[in-house]
Amino acid sequence: MKAGKVKVMFLAVMMALLFSGCNDSVQTEEEIVVPKQEDEAEDTGDQSSQADETQAQDAGGEGIAEQVQAPETYVWEGSNENVSVKVNAPVLVPQGEGFKTYRVTSKTFTQEDYDRVSQTLFQGATLWNRDYEQMEQSGGFTKGEIEERIEHYKENKAAGGKYEETGKNVSYDDLIDEWETMKENAPEEAIIVDVPALVSYNADTEDSEENWLHGYVTADGQDYFVSVDNNLRDDWRWINFEVSEVNAKSNFMPVGEGEEEGIETDKFPRQSLKEEAEKMIADMGFSDFALAGDEFFRTYAWDEETEALAEDNEDGYGVHFTRTLDGIPVTYTYSDGTGVEDGVPCSWPYEGIDIVFNTEGLASFKWTNPCHIEKLSEETVFLIPFSDIQSIFEEMLLKKYGDFYADSEMQVSFEIDRISLGYMRVMEKGNVMEGTMVPVWDFFGRETVTQGDDEVYTYGGSFDSWLTINALDGTIIDRDLGY
């Protein structure tokens, strides 16, 4: 990666973090806009009860499209002192009778979850690991692996490189001596032991290992690292079931269509890989999940020696899956729901499944934060018309980002190219134990920030939502905070 691109990524991340206590959201004092009432009642004494009665009506007879009356395409331009917006976007409305009310609670991974994923991806192959107790003196490495590391250090030293590692004052000579000592006690071959593939969860344990199943599995001649992290606590809601190809240099990160990163996209047969991912999901029994989008991925490994992003990264293509409720999907966005407000974590990651392929085949499977869904009512909820959502958007996007940039010399412009209606899990502030599935409108696109004639950065892509509006009442929802 070029240094300039690294700098742009760094600026983007820093600016995103500044928008709120977490990620790329911007909070304003005004969080709700009351939709305009086209036919206001003259008798204000009955207006409140009439509104409550309307909200309580079962909207199922109309269907979603009939309720919201959204155009196929929404086109609009607006601006204030430091923010400009261009919208030319299809308006995507799911088919169905209507949205219903669901309660959401966290759950941990079960033995059944592990078995169905393992059986589909690895035909139930045995989980194994290195015997680190017997290989303790060599740090778990074989003699050949240590020799490769020593040769790497010698080459860097000969080229005039300088070893740098945060918090350490170590030279290449020190490292070479350390690894030479390890080699003296290193076995020629790794000592392998089977790992019982048993998933467990003990809410009262202080030993994280008790709630963490991890090891390796070999399938079709390829080794994969498997991790089922069940360490769910009141103050830590992030748990994952991950499978990753061992040769991957780091976690795959989404990069959109890949052109800006220089990904050779023709190496990836998108349609066939998408179909393969959907077949995997079906074979695992995820009948309540559906494809929510696809894009290219890249690993961004950190080089401890240079304290910079590594140059030799790996590319991939991936597919996102989210739950569907009565056939209506939960909208996928880049916001993961792991925010901090006033220095207090309000983290409750959204559930999702990502499957990533490299040029050799499966590179990564990741299932984040499973949850339990309970339908509370068969009645459908009332949605305010899209014309009201449109008015709220036109006012609030300018206000939200205008307030943030008000005291700076920067100008920000948005290009909104997709608008969609779907479910989102929301929670009450401070409650990471229970939430509700709510219908919301999301406005996707790109943000470009400039200062004078210089472009500071461009940020955003297919799954960056710059404003999320509650379809029930017009409330602005912060996706990073989850409410």
Side-chain angles (χ1 to χ4, degrees), residues 72-89:
E72 291 186 3
T73 304
Y74 169 34
V75 179
W76 176 76
E77 292 188 21
S79 63
N80 59 20
E81 270 188 37
N82 45 18
V83 179
S84 62
V85 184
K86 290 184 179 180
V87 182
N88 189 349

Side-chain angles (χ1 to χ4, degrees), residues 23-24 238 253-258 294-297 320 331-338 350 354 418 442 444-446 459-466 479-480:
N23 298 337
D24 62 353
W238 192 306
M253 303 295 291
V255 294
E257 289 303 303
D294 66 306
E295 60 183 317
F296 290 95
F297 284 70
H320 306 289
T331 303
Y332 173 78
T333 78
Y334 284 146
S335 296
D336 56 18
T338 55
Y350 301 116
D354 288 346
R418 180 168 64 94
D442 279 289
F444 296 92
R446 297 177 69 84
Y459 185 79
S462 301
F463 305 106
D464 276 296
S465 175
W466 296 101
R479 278 190 167 271
D480 293 319

Side-chain angles (χ1 to χ4, degrees), residues 14-266:
M14 293 303 295
M15 292 298 294
L17 289 171
L18 284 172
F19 284 170
S20 72
C22 50
N23 298 337
D24 62 353
S25 59
V26 179
Q27 289 281 42
T28 64
E29 292 181 2
E30 182 173 340
E31 293 188 340
I32 184 167
V33 174
V34 179
K36 298 176 181 177
Q37 302 295 326
E38 295 183 3
D39 298 315
E40 293 184 358
E42 293 182 3
D43 184 357
T44 57
D46 294 334
Q47 189 171 353
S48 176
S49 61
Q50 290 172 357
D52 290 342
E53 182 179 348
T54 301
Q55 291 289 332
Q57 288 178 354
D58 179 4
E62 300 179 10
I64 299 172
E66 289 76 15
Q67 283 188 68
V68 300
Q69 291 293 307
E72 291 186 3
T73 304
Y74 169 34
V75 179
W76 176 76
E77 292 188 21
S79 63
N80 59 20
E81 270 188 37
N82 45 18
V83 179
S84 62
V85 184
K86 290 184 179 180
V87 182
N88 189 349
V91 183
L92 308 178
V93 179
Q95 295 181 349
E97 175 190 5
F99 289 83
K100 299 177 182 179
T101 304
Y102 292 86
R103 187 167 71 100
V104 186
T105 52
S106 287
K107 80 177 191 70
T108 54
F109 296 106
T110 65
Q111 188 67 47
E112 180 186 1
D113 293 332
Y114 176 84
D115 290 343
R116 62 176 171 166
V117 172
S118 174
Q119 191 61 46
T120 298
L121 298 184
F122 313 121
Q123 296 73 55
T126 302
L127 199 64
W128 56 267
N129 210 339
R130 296 191 177 194
D131 191 331
Y132 289 101
E133 288 187 7
Q134 292 194 55
M135 299 177 68
E136 182 179 4
Q137 290 184 312
S138 66
F141 294 98
T142 65
K143 184 172 293 184
E145 291 167 343
I146 291 175
E147 288 173 346
E148 288 181 7
R149 183 65 65 94
I150 292 173
E151 184 61 29
H152 169 73
Y153 289 147
K154 287 181 176 179
E155 289 176 357
N156 283 0
K157 177 187 174 184
K162 181 181 179 182
Y163 183 80
E164 296 181 9
E165 187 174 346
T166 304
K168 294 185 178 180
N169 183 17
V170 183
S171 68
Y172 274 119
D173 287 333
D174 294 330
L175 285 170
I176 293 168
D177 289 343
E178 179 183 338
W179 284 78
E180 288 284 5
T181 301
M182 291 169 59
K183 188 175 75 168
E184 295 174 3
N185 300 292
E188 295 289 343
E189 300 290 337
I191 303 172
I192 301 298
V193 293
D194 288 346
V195 175
L198 300 177
V199 177
S200 62
Y201 175 64
N202 180 357
D204 299 322
T205 186
E206 295 183 1
D207 181 7
S208 61
E209 285 284 334
E210 186 175 343
N211 291 332
W212 182 32
L213 171 64
H214 57 98
Y216 296 86
V217 66
T218 304
D220 298 326
Q222 178 59 57
D223 293 340
Y224 293 87
F225 179 67
V226 179
S227 170
V228 183
D229 185 352
N230 252 352
N231 282 291
L232 183 70
R233 306 188 307 270
D234 293 352
D235 60 343
W236 180 255
R237 315 300 294 172
W238 192 306
I239 60 174
N240 295 299
F241 183 171
E242 297 186 67
V243 173
S244 56
E245 192 244 336
V246 296
N247 292 324
K249 299 175 179 63
S250 70
N251 290 334
F252 280 89
M253 303 295 291
V255 294
E257 289 303 303
E259 296 106 348
E260 294 181 5
E261 300 297 322
I263 292 178
E264 297 180 51
T265 58
D266 56 353

